[in-house]
Structure formats: structure tokens, C-alpha cells
């Protein structure tokens, strides 16, 4: 599970770094991390299904978390694949879109920390950042270029998925 977290965080951070540097040719290789994350998801799901009642207090919430968190990597991959599909076009992303991207990474890292050391403050911070991403994303949808609309949409989805991944963690951690 820890590797699943770290792989997803790496997928997000590495892709943002490549985009910032204009290394769009690196994106397809980075996107392959999502397939690695899928393997970890399947392994973790199998462990929960086979021995969940022995290993975990609340296996159904662990399974729900895994399912929701797997979707986070999927949406990062959709975003990365879309940006890579633009080919050799010189795409200079709006700084506000890059800021949304960075905020989703902050949310991911908070989720990771929250899983291993739960606190309601982290849960509330994730919700606050989610609202910031959604509100700013909706503003941006009105003013960004046609190609950037899909990117903003993916980032709004990612923020929502990260937040929905925090709910099972809350249920697992609170007795």
C-alpha cells in the first residue's frame, strides 16, 4: 500500500516537473507508472479480499479506499496522455493551471500522511484545498484556451477523487 501511494505521488510529481521543463517527450514513460500502480492495487485488493478480516479492523473501508485511490492515478494518466497527445505543439501552460496541479500534489501528500498518521486537521485541509481547486478550476474553465479546458477538468476530477479517498481513511481511523 505504501508503494501504491509513493508510485502515485511520483506519477504526479514527475509529470508536473516534465511539463514545467517542457519535456513532453518524457510524459509517455512517466504515464507507465499508472500501470505499476494498477498492479499494486490488484495485489492490495486481493489481500483485502482473501485475508481482510484477519489483517484489518475495517476491511470494507480499506477496499473502498483502494478503489477510490486507484482512480486518482487513472485521472493523472488521462491528463498526462492528453498533454502528450498534443505532440510537438509548444504548449505553455497557464501558471494558474500549474498551480492547480501543484495543489493536487499537496493533497496527495496530505492523504499519504493522513493514512499513516491520522488527524482530522489533515482531513479538513484536504477538503479546503479541494474547494480551492474546484472554485479556481471553474473560474479557469471560463477563460482558458480550448486545449486547456480538458486539463482543468482533469485536475478538478483529481481533487475530488483525492478528497473522496480520504473518507474511508477517516472511517478506518475513527472508532
Amino acid at each position: 500500500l505504501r508503494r501504491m501511494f509513493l508510485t502515485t505521488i511520483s506519477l504526479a510529481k514527475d509529470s508536473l516537473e516534465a511539463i514545467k521543463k517542457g519535456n513532453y517527450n518524457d510524459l509517455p514513460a512517466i504515464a507507465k507508472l499508472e500501470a505499476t500502480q494498477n498492479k499494486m492495487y490488484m495485489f492490495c485488493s486481493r489481500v483485502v479480499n482473501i485475508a481482510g478480516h484477519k489483517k484489518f479492523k475495517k476491511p470494507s473501508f480499506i477496499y473502498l479506499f483502494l478503489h477510490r485511490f486507484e482512480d486518482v492515478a487513472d485521472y493523472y494518466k488521462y491528463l498526462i496522455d492528453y498533454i502528450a497527445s498534443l505532440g510537438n505543439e509548444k504548449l505553455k501552460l497557464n501558471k494558474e493551471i500549474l498551480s492547480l496541479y501543484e495543489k493536487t500534489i499537496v493533497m496527495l501528500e496530505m492523504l499519504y500522511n493522513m493514512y499513516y498518521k491520522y488527524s482530522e486537521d489533515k482531513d479538513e485541509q484536504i477538503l479546503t484545498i479541494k474547494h480551492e481547486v474546484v472554485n479556481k478550476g471553474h473560474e479557469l474553465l471560463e477563460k482558458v484556451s480550448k486545449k486547456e479546458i480538458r486539463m482543468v477538468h482533469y485536475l478538478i476530477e483529481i481533487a475530488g477523487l483525492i478528497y473522496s479517498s480520504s473518507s474511508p481513511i477517516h472511517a478506518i481511523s475513527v472508532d
Side-chain angles (χ1 to χ4, degrees):
L1 182 57
R2 187 178 301 272
R3 277 196 261 163
M4 189 175 164
F5 267 117
L6 296 174
T7 300
T8 306
I9 291 169
S10 182
L11 173 69
K13 283 184 169 181
D14 294 353
S15 60
L16 178 60
E17 198 58 36
I19 292 164
K20 283 181 173 179
K21 290 180 179 176
N23 297 337
Y24 301 109
N25 293 333
D26 294 348
L27 292 175
I30 294 168
K32 289 181 181 177
L33 285 173
E34 187 268 342
T36 302
Q37 195 254 25
N38 283 345
K39 290 176 186 175
M40 292 174 204
Y41 161 71
M42 294 299 235
F43 176 79
C44 291
S45 295
R46 183 158 168 75
V47 168
V48 171
N49 284 330
I50 291 172
H53 61 286
K54 295 176 189 171
K55 294 190 177 280
F56 305 104
K57 275 196 276 184
K58 301 176 181 177
S60 58
F61 288 114
I62 295 283
Y63 188 81
L64 180 59
F65 165 75
L66 290 169
H67 179 71
R68 289 182 176 174
F69 191 66
E70 192 274 333
D71 289 340
V72 172
D74 289 345
Y75 271 84
Y76 273 115
K77 183 180 184 307
Y78 302 153
L79 175 61
I80 294 164
D81 286 346
Y82 176 67
I83 293 170
S85 77
L86 297 174
N88 294 330
E89 294 179 36
K90 294 293 182 195
L91 181 64
K92 184 103 172 152
L93 282 183
N94 179 319
K95 287 182 182 184
E96 293 172 302
I97 294 175
L98 292 175
S99 174
L100 291 183
Y101 211 128
E102 289 166 350
K103 286 181 182 193
T104 65
I105 293 170
V106 169
M107 290 176 72
L108 262 181
E109 291 174 329
M110 284 181 172
L111 187 70
Y112 172 72
N113 292 324
M114 188 172 107
Y115 183 82
Y116 290 102
K117 188 174 180 185
Y118 181 77
S119 86
E120 286 190 25
D121 291 343
K122 291 174 190 155
D123 204 8
E124 290 174 21
Q125 290 172 339
I126 290 172
L127 177 60
T128 300
I129 296 171
K130 178 203 146 210
H131 286 308
E132 290 173 14
V133 171
V134 169
N135 292 337
K136 186 63 177 177
H138 287 155
E139 277 180 39
L140 288 174
L141 288 173
E142 299 295 323
K143 66 180 188 177
V144 296
S145 72
K146 193 171 184 176
K147 289 181 181 167
E148 292 173 322
I149 288 173
R150 189 183 301 184
M151 294 174 214
V152 173
H153 164 71
Y154 287 142
L155 291 167
I156 290 170
E157 284 295 317
I158 290 167
L161 289 166
I162 293 169
Y163 175 70
S164 71
S165 297
S166 70
S167 297
I169 294 172
H170 177 81
I172 293 163
S173 303
V174 176
D175 285 328

